[in-house]
Amino acid sequence: MALRPAARAAHQWNSVTSAFARRYCVSQPSCFTSAAASPVLSALRSHPSPHPARSFSTTPRTAAKVDNSSLTHQDIIPPQQGLPQRKRTIQIGHLPGGRVSDGQIRSIFGTRVSGHDGNSVLRILHHRRTSGSLADYGVDNLGDKYNVSRDQAIKALDWLRNKFPLDEARAAEAWAEKEANRIAYEMWLADPENDSKYKDPARVYREQQKKEAAEREQEAEQQERSQYGILRTGKSQFEISIQEKRRQRLEEITKKAEAKEAKAVEEEKMLATGEWVRTPGGTQLMKPGQDTYVDVFGREQVSRRKEEMERAQKAAQTSFKDEDEMLAQTTLTQRLYPMTAFVLVVCLVSFGFAHYYEPPAPAYRLWPDLSPTTATIASIVLANTLLCIAWRWTPFWPIMTRYFMHVPGYPRAVQAVGNVFSHVQYEHLFGNMMMLALVGPVAHDLVDRGVFLGTYVSAGAVGTLVSLYWANLGKGSITAHSVGASAAIWGISALYCLLTDQETIKIPFIRDMEVGFYPKMLLAAFVVWEVAMARRKGPSTMDHASHFGGMAVGVGVAGYLHATGFHQRRAASVEGGEAKTVDVAGIVKGEAGEVKDAVVNAVKKA
C-alpha cells in the first residue's frame, strides 16, 4: 500500500475539518472557533508522528485480550445550535500489545500515576487515535479520576505513536464523516419538515416522486379537457419523455447509493470482527495474509490463488489419515480384481489393434506431411506434455489424482492406462520423452504402427498391474503414487532388442564412428541393472515392478512375432535387406526436419 507521510496528516485533517465546518457550521461560529480549536491540532503540529504511517499488517480495530475488564469513558459532545448538550458513553478496548508494565507507566507519567490509571489513560488515547476522535477531543477531557497533566498526556500520545503506528489521518476522515452524518440527522430530527439540505434524502426523494406523479396526473386530465382542434395545453410529449428518463436515472442513482451504503455498513461489521482488513488501496476487504494485484483495467483485486490451491489440494487428497484406515475401506479382492479385468481387456484390444490395423490413406491422415513414425512419436510426446501442463492448473488436481495417478492402496481401474501418459515433474517428462525419441522411431520402423502402439499401451497397463500386485502382495509401498511412461518405454525397448538384426550403432556427434551393437546382450544388461537397483537398500523413487511388467510384455510380443514368422515377412517386405547400422542421431534429425517442414507448410496454408 502507498504510505502517506505524517506531515500530511495534520494538513489533511485541517482541510477535512475546514470542509466539515463550512458545510455544517456556517451559522454556528461557536462550533469551530479559534478559541475552541481542537487541542490535537497543536499536538499534531508540534509533535509529528515519528512513523510516516501504519504498516499494512496493523489492524487498529483489534486488540489483544489480556483480561476481561472493560473501560468506559464519557465524551462530551460539542453543543450544536438548537441541540441540547449530552454525554455519550463509549466502550474502550484494550491496547494491541496488552497491558503496559508498571515500570513503563512510571517512565511515561512519573510516580504519581498508578499502573491501572496509566493503562486506562493509554487506552483512552489509543481509542481516540483509532476512532478518529483525537482530532476533536485531543488529549483533554480524560476524566477527573486520572491525575494526569496535559504534558503527561502528550508524552503518552507520543509513546503510543512510537509503539503502535497507524494512519490517524484516515481515521480522522472516517470520524468527520460520521460526525457530519450524525449532526445532519439530529438537525433533521429537530425539524423534519423543513426544506433544508439536512432533510432525510430518502424522504425527500419519495415526496418528490409523489409530487411529480400528482403533477403528471393533473396534466393528463387537463390535456383531456383542454383540446381545441389540434392544439393542446400542458407539457409536450417530449418534455414528458425527458422527465420520465430523468426519473429513471434518479431511481438508478438512488439504488446505487443505497447499495453502496449497505456495502459500507457490511464492511464495517466485517472489520469489527477482526477477521478482515482493508486492501492496501482501501477499495476492498481481505483476510490477513492474502495478496492483491491490479488487473488490466487498473482496479485493485484480491488474489484468491492460495485459497483455490488449498481447496483443490483438499479435493485431490483422500480422506484417509493413515495406511490402516485406507486399507480398511476396501478388501484385497476389491483392490485387485477391477484393474486386473480392465488390463485384460486393454491387452485384448491392443492385440486386435496390432493384428488388424491398416495404415490410412494420406487423405485421411491428420498430419499427412509427416511420416507415420514421426506422427506416432509426436502424438505420444504431445499427449504426455499436455497432461504434464495440466498438473500445473490447480482446478485439474482432483481429476488428475483420480484418473492419471496410480495409488496401490486405493486404485481405480482406469489408472492402469491414465498414469502411463502422466508426468508431474518436467525433468521426469524430459527423461522419458528423450528415451522414447531414441528407441521409439527404430522400434516403430521395425514393427509398424499397429504393433508399436499395441505394445506401448499394453506394456504400460501391465506394468501398472504388476506394481499393484507387488504393493498388495509383496514388499511394495501401499501408499506410493506412481506416474510415468517408463513401463511402456521398457516394453518397446525389449521388443526392439529381441527382433532387430542390426549389429552396429553410429555414435552421435562423432563422424564415421561406429561400435558393435548386441541388442540381446543390451537387454540382458538392462534387466541386471533393474534387479540391482531394486535390491538396493534405502528409499527409491523408481517403480521397478512396473518396469519388469513392461519388459515382460515386450518379451512376450517379440516371442509371438518370432513364432508367427515375423523375420520372414520382414525380409520379404524390405528390399535389399535391413540396414545393419543404427543411426539414432540421423533418425532424430530427420524427425525434427519433418516436424519443422510440417509447421512451415501449415503456416503458409493458414
Side-chain angles (χ1 to χ4, degrees):
M1 86 184 262
L3 301 180
R4 292 179 290 181
R8 285 185 57 191
H11 174 73
Q12 186 174 2
W13 171 243
N14 288 338
S15 56
V16 171
T17 307
S18 300
F20 177 78
R22 286 194 300 270
R23 183 174 181 181
Y24 296 105
C25 301
V26 173
S27 61
Q28 305 168 28
S30 60
C31 289
F32 294 96
T33 60
S34 58
S38 176
V40 79
L41 295 180
S42 58
L44 286 171
R45 297 190 185 98
S46 59
H47 299 278
S49 174
H51 298 276
R54 62 181 177 92
S55 62
F56 173 66
S57 59
T58 302
T59 307
R61 297 180 180 273
T62 60
K65 295 184 178 180
V66 179
D67 50 46
N68 296 326
S69 63
S70 61
L71 176 65
T72 61
H73 181 67
Q74 290 183 343
D75 287 331
I76 301 176
I77 303 301
Q80 305 296 332
Q81 183 176 0
L83 298 179
Q85 180 177 349
R86 60 188 180 90
K87 293 183 178 181
R88 182 169 54 184
T89 302
I90 301 173
Q91 295 292 333
I92 306 300
H94 298 278
L95 292 174
R99 189 180 186 277
V100 180
S101 64
D102 293 345
Q104 186 63 48
I105 293 296
R106 287 193 297 270
S107 65
I108 298 173
F109 298 100
T111 58
R112 299 183 61 184
V113 179
S114 63
H116 176 75
D117 291 348
N119 275 277
S120 299
V121 171
L122 290 176
R123 288 167 61 185
I124 292 172
L125 292 175
H126 188 67
H127 171 76
R128 292 181 179 179
R129 296 175 65 222
T130 57
S131 65
S133 61
L134 183 64
D136 274 350
Y137 305 130
V139 296
D140 299 322
N141 299 324
L142 297 174
D144 298 335
K145 60 181 179 180
Y146 305 122
N147 188 19
V148 176
S149 64
R150 179 180 177 82
D151 293 337
Q152 290 176 334
I154 292 177
K155 184 177 180 181
L157 180 63
D158 291 338
W159 182 84
L160 286 171
R161 286 172 172 168
N162 288 324
K163 186 67 175 178
F164 309 112
L166 56 87
D167 194 344
E168 296 179 8
R170 177 176 293 181
E173 291 176 6
W175 170 263
E177 183 177 357
K178 289 189 291 186
E179 284 297 294
N181 293 334
R182 180 186 61 80
I183 293 173
Y185 181 69
E186 290 181 354
M187 296 187 70
W188 174 77
L189 289 178
D191 186 10
E193 299 300 330
N194 63 60
D195 295 328
S196 67
K197 60 184 178 181
Y198 305 110
K199 199 171 182 180
D200 181 19
R203 180 171 179 176
V204 170
Y205 179 75
R206 289 194 297 268
E207 292 179 354
Q208 183 181 0
Q209 293 303 307
K210 292 180 181 178
K211 183 178 179 181
E212 291 179 356
E215 291 178 354
R216 286 195 298 269
E217 293 178 359
Q218 184 179 1
E219 291 173 359
E221 294 177 358
Q222 186 177 3
Q223 287 179 2
E224 292 178 359
R225 294 194 304 266
S226 305
Q227 295 184 1
Y228 303 97
I230 61 173
L231 297 177
R232 297 182 181 182
T233 60
K235 293 183 178 179
S236 65
Q237 189 63 35
F238 176 76
E239 293 175 335
I240 294 174
S241 177
I242 293 297
Q243 189 175 7
E244 179 64 20
K245 290 183 179 180
R246 178 177 177 272
R247 184 186 64 81
Q248 293 177 358
R249 186 171 66 253
L250 289 175
E251 286 183 353
E252 184 179 356
I253 294 174
T254 303
K255 289 180 181 179
K256 290 182 179 180
E258 291 176 351
K260 183 177 180 180
E261 183 178 356
K263 182 181 178 181
V265 172
E266 184 65 23
E267 288 182 353
E268 289 296 329
K269 292 180 180 179
M270 295 171 67
L271 286 172
T273 61
E275 298 179 0
W276 298 82
V277 295
R278 290 197 178 275
T279 55
T283 59
Q284 299 185 45
L285 297 185
M286 69 179 188
K287 290 189 176 181
Q290 287 184 321
D291 298 326
T292 59
Y293 65 94
V294 178
D295 60 13
V296 294
F297 301 102
R299 297 172 300 189
E300 186 180 40
Q301 302 290 347
V302 179
S303 175
R304 291 175 174 82
R305 176 178 174 83
K306 185 182 297 184
E307 289 79 359
E308 292 176 358
M309 185 177 296
E310 292 176 354
R311 183 167 55 253
Q313 186 174 4
K314 184 177 180 180
Q317 292 176 345
T318 59
S319 58
F320 309 124
K321 298 180 181 179
D322 51 26
E323 180 178 333
D324 296 335
E325 185 178 352
M326 177 186 293
L327 296 179
Q329 297 296 321
T330 56
T331 62
L332 181 62
T333 303
Q334 290 175 336
R335 291 193 294 272
L336 299 181
Y337 172 74
M339 186 174 289
T340 302
F342 180 77
V343 171
L344 179 60
V345 172
V346 170
C347 291
L348 292 176
V349 172
S350 298
F351 176 79
F353 179 80
H355 187 73
Y356 295 105
Y357 175 79
E358 291 291 339
Y364 294 97
R365 292 186 58 198
L366 182 62
W367 296 327
D369 296 333
L370 300 179
S371 65
T373 299
T374 305
T376 303
I377 301 302
S379 300
I380 296 176
V381 172
L382 180 62
N384 283 268
T385 303
L386 292 178
L387 285 176
C388 186
I389 295 174
W391 278 105
R392 269 64 192 171
W393 196 17
T394 52
F396 278 172
W397 286 359
I399 298 176
M400 301 300 292
T401 55
R402 189 174 292 113
Y403 302 112
F404 296 95
M405 176 180 284
H406 174 228
V407 183
Y410 200 74
R412 292 179 174 86
V414 72
Q415 294 173 353
V417 176
N419 86 98
V420 177
F421 296 88
S422 177
H423 298 79
V424 179
Q425 290 87 14
Y426 286 124
E427 55 270 19
H428 188 200
L429 171 70
F430 178 76
N432 280 344
M433 294 302 100
M434 184 178 64
M435 188 67 181
L436 176 65
L438 296 176
V439 181
V442 292
H444 191 286
D445 290 341
L446 183 64
V447 298
D448 294 332
R449 177 180 287 176
V451 177
F452 178 85
L453 287 179
T455 304
Y456 186 90
V457 175
S458 58
V462 172
T464 304
L465 183 64
V466 172
S467 177
L468 175 67
Y469 274 80
W470 176 248
N472 283 274
L473 301 178
K475 298 181 180 179
S477 174
I478 203 72
T479 58
H481 300 71
S482 178
V483 292
S486 303
I489 295 174
W490 277 119
I492 61 173
S493 299
L495 174 67
Y496 172 74
C497 289
L498 293 177
L499 291 182
T500 185
D501 292 331
Q502 293 173 327
E503 300 175 350
T504 59
I505 184 171
K506 188 174 182 180
I507 303 300
F509 310 114
I510 300 178
R511 185 176 181 180
D512 298 333
M513 183 174 182
E514 300 176 357
V515 296
F517 175 56
Y518 308 101
K520 296 179 179 59
M521 294 300 297
L522 181 61
L523 178 61
F526 285 155
V527 173
V528 172
W529 180 79
E530 279 288 340
V531 171
M533 294 296 293
R535 293 177 59 86
R536 188 179 63 176
K537 295 182 179 180
S540 176
T541 58
M542 300 178 65
D543 190 359
H544 300 286
S546 68
H547 296 175
F548 287 121
M551 288 183 188
V553 172
V555 172
V557 174
Y560 173 80
L561 293 176
H562 182 75
T564 55
F566 170 79
H567 291 288
Q568 291 79 2
R569 295 193 301 272
R570 179 71 176 171
S573 61
V574 178
E575 297 180 0
E578 184 181 1
K580 297 299 182 180
T581 302
V582 182
D583 187 3
V584 177
I587 294 174
V588 174
K589 185 177 180 180
E591 291 178 347
E594 288 184 16
V595 173
K596 181 180 178 181
D597 294 340
V599 172
V600 172
N601 293 334
V603 172
K604 289 181 179 179
K605 291 179 181 179

